Structures are given as structure tokens and as C-alpha cells.
């Protein structure tokens, strides 16, 4: 197998032109059949359950995805540490720290903004965050060091193997003072700070631990500046190369530390570094590599609440970002498929759909609470319009699309059957206790049969720009699920389950 590349690509020229009918449709309120017809609460439950299928390490007694078993129990042994736990990021068996930290930040943000809408699923959402933060505490336990990856990607991608059977290299890779990684360290600090808010009232001691660690990791990220894809290029590239630079992660980390701690030093850091760290470089992208839009939306909440006029330029940036993705107004680098799905060139498009939609919804809420709107040239975009566009994207994922397929596994009668996911596509340990070796799994990878294990809640990379979807494992860009697709979707589904 060729190495799997899932980085968010730099922006590419548009491939499609917008058509008038779509512009009208995108801003027209969804029909009752489209919105009211979806079981958002059921989809929310499944979207959170997915994370249990991605768990690495010793599984807990309350594990609900029963076809998964313990895996990678010696992670970190080669460096004398316990680095077990955390999540496999996608359909492979590597623990990549950069996307895992972003996943944690977005799961936490989902709970912070929309936890009140999660009902009985809130406890499971909190558990999904803690599974990640327990691991992030382990990888940041050594001062001025962050272990950012466990497993050798080239070795792993040469096999099609269950995580329970792994016999590939489990090398632990780190950043430190001599090998900086401000991007992944900044994102890790953001994740720990955001999660500290989640646990503030639920477990105050754990929350303080997370926040204290976030402070230390951020200080390391800021003091020893550099990109981890320079320090660890042969390890992390081309898989999770930081194409966008590390400056946005420093501002992102500071923004979450400001929100979590309310310390003046972080406010001053943000104001002092706004220009130096390119806060205004908001482009129509938000994901594990590019945080600019998220920074501006997050900080804008304070401006919209009338509490922080000194951050007003961030609101202006956020407004510009919103305008850049609206149909009919948007930047040429944002396309919409004929069926109405946000589309950006490159792999795993659903990561853009869910992350951008999350920002649309979050900003919409901030606008509605302050009775404001977004000026886009001669047009005023309202809070309601932003919500409708976000809901249109969620409904597309759940089945309101030209092929009438849910792109969430296990939701509705028709969903992807052959997802690019090792554990899902190979027989479970329960049904096939015998070890399946590195190359023995190839026949399952190439099989036309559906996956034997249903990875409920997994959202795949999704259809191409013309709404076509090849339900086939080798088409990994379309058929592979990732944690960072699901994390922002948790917040979206929570909101729409309460406001269908």
C-alpha cells in the first residue's frame, strides 16, 4: 500500500462555478422532510460511540464497541514511559499527536458550547474527551518534551492488520528544546486548556491538572519556536505535515488559555502577537493544520458579548471568514457540489465540511445572543442563515444528497459498507482469535465484501465534487473515517437534536 496522506491541503483553484439555483437553495429554510426527518439525537449517540472504536490501549469495563479489544499495550516502553491509550486517528494504527490534540480541542469546544443540548449523551462525550486527555497528560509528563507520535507510519501503512495484532514498529517520536514543534505543542496546550473547562465543575482537581499542564506546554511551544514537520520531517510527512506554519497554533493555544484561565498575560499575548503571528490570515479553511478561522471565531464571542473591544479586529477577521464560505459570496477556493456540499480540493473532504459548519453554527449562536449580523459587501448574513447552511451540511451527511446515502456508518438503511479501516474490515478477535499477519490482511483489504465489523458513527471522507461516492477501501480519501471529522460533528448534532 502506498502511504496514506490526509493532510489538509493548501488552497487550490475552484473546479466548479456556483449556480443561481443552489445559491437560492442554500439560504432557503430546509423543508420539514429534510430537517425534521432526521434523528439527530440518534446520530449524536453514534457519532460519540465512534470514538470507542478508535481507542488504543487497555479498554475499560464499560467499553461498548465489543468487537474491539486491547491493543498497543507496550507503547512507550522503548523510551521507558507509559504512552498507552489515546486514539488511532483514522483507519490505520498510528497515534498521531497533532490531529489527536485537535480532535480533543474540538470535542471540548462541542461540549462547552453545546453540552447543554446533549442530554444523556453528555456523559459519553465527556468520557471521549478524558480518554484523549489522559493520554495527552502522559505524552507531556516530561518537562519541555512532547511525544507527538507512536508508531512508524511507513511500517504501518505497509500492512493491513488489526490493532490487536500489531507487530509493526511502535517507535515513540518527540519534540524537545533541540527539536521544536510549536505547532503540535501549541495545539496540545489548546486541547488541555479547552478540556480543563469541560472538567471545571465535574472534576476540579483534574481540571486544574489539565490547565497547569497546558500552561507549561504552551510556554515550551512559545519559547522554542519551530515547526515539527521540520524537526521530524521524515516521520510526520507526508502524513500530518504542518503546511500552514506554527504561528496559528501559538495564537490558538493562547486563545484557549485565555478562555480557560482568564489571565491577563494571555490577553496581552494575543494583542501583542496579533500581527506578528498573522491572526488576519483567515482563509476559508479550519482543521488540524489551520487554526486561523477558529481563533477569530473563538475570540469574537467576547467582542459580541460587549466585553472585549480590544479584540475587535478578530471579529472583523471572523466576519471576513464567514463571508468567504457563504454560497454566492464565497472565495473561489470554496466550492459547493451540485448537491450542496461544501467541497475543497484534496483528501478527506468531510473534515472541511464538519469543521467549517461547526464554526458557522458557533458564530451564529454568538451573533444571535448579541443581536448582530455579518456584513458581506452589499449583503447582510443573519444568524439564522448561518444556522441553515450548517444544518444543510449536516443533513447532506445524514442522507439528504443525490445518492441518498448516509455518510455516517450505521445511520439509516444505506451507508458505506467498505470503509478504509483496518479493524472494521478484518475479522474481529472474537470471531477469529488467531493472529492475522501483516500481509495476510491484504485479501480483506481487496475483498469486495462489506466490512464484517460495523464501526457505528464513523463519518467517511465523503463524495467527490460531483456527489459521486465509490464505496471501496482502496479509495481512502473518500472511504476513510477520521476522529477530526467526527469531533466538530458532535457539537453540530447536539445543537440540531435540540433545535431541529
Amino acid at each position: 500500500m502506498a502511504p496514506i496522506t490526509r493532510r489538509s491541503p493548501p488552497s487550490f483553484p475552484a473546479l466548479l462555478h456556483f449556480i443561481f439555483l443552489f445559491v437560492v437553495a442554500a439560504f432557503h429554510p430546509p423543508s420539514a422532510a429534510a430537517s425534521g426527518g432526521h434523528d439527530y439525537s440518534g446520530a449524536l449517540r453514534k457519532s460519540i460511540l465512534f470514538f470507542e472504536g478508535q481507542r488504543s490501549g487497555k479498554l475499560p469495563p464499560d467499553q461498548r464497541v465489543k468487537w474491539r479489544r486491547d491493543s498497543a499495550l507496550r507503547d512507550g516502553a522503548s523510551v521507558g514511559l507509559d504512552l498507552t491509550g489515546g486514539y488511532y486517528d483514522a483507519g490505520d494504527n498510528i497515534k498521531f499527536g497533532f490531529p489527536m490534540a485537535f480532535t480533543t480541542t474540538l470535542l471540548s469546544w462541542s461540549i462547552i458550547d453545546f453540552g447543554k443540548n446533549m442530554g444523556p449523551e453528555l456523559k459519553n462525550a465527556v468520557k471521549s474527551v478524558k480518554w484523549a486527555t489522559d493520554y495527552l497528560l502522559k505524552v507531556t509528563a516530561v518537562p519541555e518534551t512532547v511525544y507527538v507520535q507512536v508508531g512508524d507510519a511507513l511500517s504501518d501503512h505497509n500492512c493491513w492488520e488489526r490493532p490487536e495484532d500489531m507487530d509493526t514498529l511502535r517507535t515513540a517520536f518527540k519534540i524537545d528544546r533541540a527539536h521544536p514543534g510549536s505547532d503540535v505543542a501549541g495545539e496540545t496546550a489548546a486541547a488541555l486548556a479547552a478540556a480543563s473547562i469541560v472538567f471545571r465543575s465535574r472534576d476540579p482537581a483534574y481540571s486544574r491538572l489539565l490547565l497547569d499542564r497546558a500552561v507549561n506546554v504552551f510556554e515550551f511551544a512559545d519559547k522554542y519556536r519551530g515547526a515539527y514537520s521540520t524537526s521530524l520531517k521524515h516521520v510526520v510527512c507526508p502524513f500530518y505535515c504542518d503546511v500552514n506554519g506554527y504561528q496559528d497554533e501559538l495564537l490558538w493555544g493562547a486563545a484557549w488559555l485565555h478562555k480557560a484561565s482568564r489571565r491577563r498575560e494571555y490577553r496581552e499575548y494575543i494583542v501583542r502577537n496579533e500581527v506578528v503571528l498573522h491572526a488576519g490570515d483567515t482563509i476559508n479553511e479550519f482543521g488540524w493544520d489551520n487554526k486561523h478561522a477558529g481563533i477569530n471565531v473563538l475570540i469574537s464571542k467576547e467582542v459580541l458579548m460587549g466585553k472585549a473591544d480590544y479584540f475587535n479586529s478578530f471579529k472583523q477577521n471572523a466576519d471576513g471568514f464567514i463571508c468567504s464560505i457563504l454560497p454566492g459570496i464565497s472565495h473561489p477556493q470554496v466550492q459547493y457540489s451540485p448537491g450542496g456540499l461544501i467541497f475543497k480540493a484534496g483528501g478527506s473532504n468531510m473534515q472541511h465540511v464538519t469543521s467549517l459548519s461547526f464554526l458557522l453554527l458557533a458564530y451564529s449562536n454568538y451573533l444571535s445572543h448579541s443581536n448582530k449580523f455579518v456584513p458581506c459587501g452589499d449583503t447582510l448574513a443573519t444568524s439564522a442563515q448561518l444556522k441553515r447552511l450548517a444544518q444543510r451540511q449536516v443533513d447532506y451527511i445524514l442522507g439528504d444528497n443525490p445518492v441518498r446515502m448516509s455518510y455516517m456508518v450505521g445511520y439509516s438503511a444505506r451507508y458505506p459498507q467498505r470503509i478504509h479501516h483496518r479493524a472494521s474490515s478484518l475479522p474481529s478477535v472474537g470471531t477469529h482469535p488467531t493472529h492475522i499477519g501483516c500481509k495476510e490482511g491484504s485479501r480483506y483489504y481487496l475483498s469486495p465484501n462489506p466490512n464484517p465489523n460495523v464501526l457505528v458513527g464513523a463519518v467517511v471522507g465523503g463524495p467527490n465534487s460531483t456527489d459521486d461516492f465509490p464505496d471501496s477501501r482502496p479509495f481512502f480519501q473518500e472511504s476513510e473515517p477520521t476522529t477530526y471529522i467526527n469531533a466538530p460533528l458532535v457539537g453540530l448534532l447536539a445543537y440540531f437534536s435540540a433545535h431541529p
Side-chain angles (χ1 to χ4, degrees):
M1 273 179 59
I4 299 169
T5 306
R6 283 184 303 277
R7 68 170 178 81
S8 296
S11 300
F12 292 88
L15 301 177
L16 298 174
H17 293 291
F18 299 118
I19 57 175
F20 175 77
L21 289 177
F22 172 67
V23 174
V24 173
F27 282 93
H28 194 276
S31 68
S35 58
H38 282 300
D39 178 11
Y40 295 117
S41 296
L44 172 65
R45 182 181 63 80
K46 295 175 193 296
S47 69
I48 297 170
L49 183 62
F50 160 73
F51 289 95
E52 294 191 20
Q54 296 300 109
R55 284 173 169 171
S56 179
K58 179 75 175 174
L59 301 182
D62 62 354
Q63 170 80 7
R64 294 177 294 167
V65 180
K66 299 297 185 183
W67 51 267
R68 280 295 324 283
R69 300 290 171 86
D70 299 345
S71 62
L73 297 180
R74 290 187 50 77
D75 279 3
S78 62
V79 292
L81 296 172
D82 173 12
L83 300 181
T84 60
Y87 292 114
Y88 302 118
D89 73 298
D92 50 22
N93 300 324
I94 305 297
K95 294 191 305 202
F96 291 101
F98 200 12
M100 195 193 307
F102 177 73
T103 292
T104 309
T105 308
L106 267 290
L107 276 173
S108 298
W109 197 356
S110 290
I111 293 171
I112 292 165
D113 275 24
F114 305 112
K116 62 183 179 296
N117 304 133
M118 291 182 182
E121 286 307 309
L122 178 58
K123 66 181 187 301
N124 291 319
V126 171
K127 284 180 182 178
S128 70
V129 171
K130 192 170 189 296
W131 191 266
T133 51
D134 284 351
Y135 175 77
L136 295 179
L137 287 171
K138 291 179 179 182
V139 302
T140 57
V142 178
E144 297 188 331
T145 301
V146 182
Y147 283 89
V148 299
Q149 184 173 316
V150 180
D152 179 82
L154 293 176
S155 172
D156 180 87
H157 290 166
N158 191 45
C159 296
W160 194 258
E161 197 169 36
R162 299 180 297 201
E164 295 83 356
D165 286 337
M166 267 190 290
D167 46 21
T168 51
L169 296 170
R170 299 300 290 175
T171 313
F173 300 96
K174 67 179 179 178
I175 54 171
D176 54 26
R177 286 175 290 181
H179 309 89
S182 302
D183 33 28
V184 66
E187 181 61 71
T188 302
L192 293 165
S196 77
I197 301 172
V198 171
F199 290 99
R200 184 179 287 156
S201 60
R202 296 177 174 91
D203 187 340
Y206 189 67
S207 175
R208 285 193 298 272
L209 174 63
L210 293 173
L211 184 55
D212 289 346
R213 186 65 57 81
V215 169
N216 292 337
V217 173
F218 179 77
E219 185 178 323
F220 161 64
D222 190 43
K223 186 176 181 181
Y224 302 98
R225 293 190 180 188
Y228 93 135
S229 47
T230 300
S231 300
L232 292 171
K233 184 173 184 178
H234 68 291
V235 175
V236 302
C237 297
F239 311 102
Y240 287 103
C241 252
D242 182 6
V243 175
N244 188 58
Y246 63 80
Q247 290 84 354
D248 54 329
E249 276 81 26
L250 290 176
L251 275 176
W252 179 240
W256 277 108
L257 277 162
H258 175 64
K259 186 175 178 68
S261 71
R262 310 312 301 172
R263 293 179 191 169
R264 181 176 177 178
E265 65 188 274
Y266 296 113
R267 184 190 79 196
E268 292 176 347
Y269 180 97
I270 293 166
V271 172
R272 185 171 67 249
N273 287 285
E274 176 185 356
V275 176
V276 177
L277 297 178
H278 313 298
D281 288 359
T282 297
I283 61 170
N284 36 61
E285 190 169 318
F286 177 55
W288 60 263
D289 185 18
N290 192 319
K291 313 298 162 25
H292 287 109
I295 294 162
N296 289 304
V297 168
L298 181 68
I299 293 177
S300 291
K301 181 179 182 181
E302 294 188 49
V303 182
L304 288 164
M305 297 298 118
K307 296 178 181 177
D309 287 344
Y310 44 80
F311 283 153
N312 195 56
S313 56
F314 289 88
K315 181 192 175 295
Q316 294 171 11
N317 294 338
D319 285 349
F321 157 72
I322 293 295
C323 297
S324 79
I325 60 175
L326 295 182
I329 306 172
S330 62
H331 193 281
Q333 290 157 350
V334 175
Q335 310 159 33
Y336 283 82
S337 74
L341 184 71
I342 291 172
F343 191 85
K344 290 180 71 69
S348 191
N349 180 59
M350 283 301 185
Q351 66 178 308
H352 306 300
V353 176
T354 60
S355 292
L356 293 174
S357 296
F358 180 91
L359 292 186
L360 281 169
L361 181 62
Y363 203 58
S364 169
N365 273 0
Y366 306 158
L367 289 169
S368 64
H369 288 139
S370 59
N371 200 27
K372 297 285 184 11
F373 49 80
V374 179
C376 297
D378 296 331
T379 305
L380 296 179
T382 66
S383 168
Q385 286 173 322
L386 304 191
K387 280 191 176 77
R388 285 199 293 270
L389 181 56
Q391 186 169 14
R392 181 181 177 85
Q393 301 305 302
V394 172
D395 289 347
Y396 186 109
I397 291 171
L398 296 181
D400 291 354
N401 54 63
V403 297
R404 313 310 295 172
M405 172 181 279
S406 162
Y407 291 105
M408 175 183 284
V409 173
Y411 180 88
S412 85
R414 188 164 184 243
Y415 55 82
Q417 301 287 320
R418 300 161 191 84
I419 67 172
H420 183 102
H421 191 277
R422 288 157 174 76
S424 173
S425 67
L426 290 156
S428 68
V429 173
T431 60
H432 190 294
T434 310
H435 179 91
I436 301 174
C438 169
K439 294 300 184 184
E440 292 178 68
S442 297
R443 66 188 181 96
Y444 297 100
Y445 171 72
L446 296 170
S447 168
N449 296 328
N451 289 6
N453 309 306
V454 180
L455 186 60
V456 173
V459 178
V460 296
N464 63 21
S465 62
T466 58
D467 299 301
D468 294 321
F469 177 73
D471 188 4
S472 173
R473 290 176 209 98
F475 288 83
F476 66 86
Q477 292 184 329
E478 291 85 7
S479 66
E480 188 170 23
T482 74
T483 57
Y484 46 89
I485 292 174
N486 270 59
L489 185 60
V490 167
L492 289 158
L493 290 168
Y495 179 84
F496 290 122
S497 68
H499 306 86

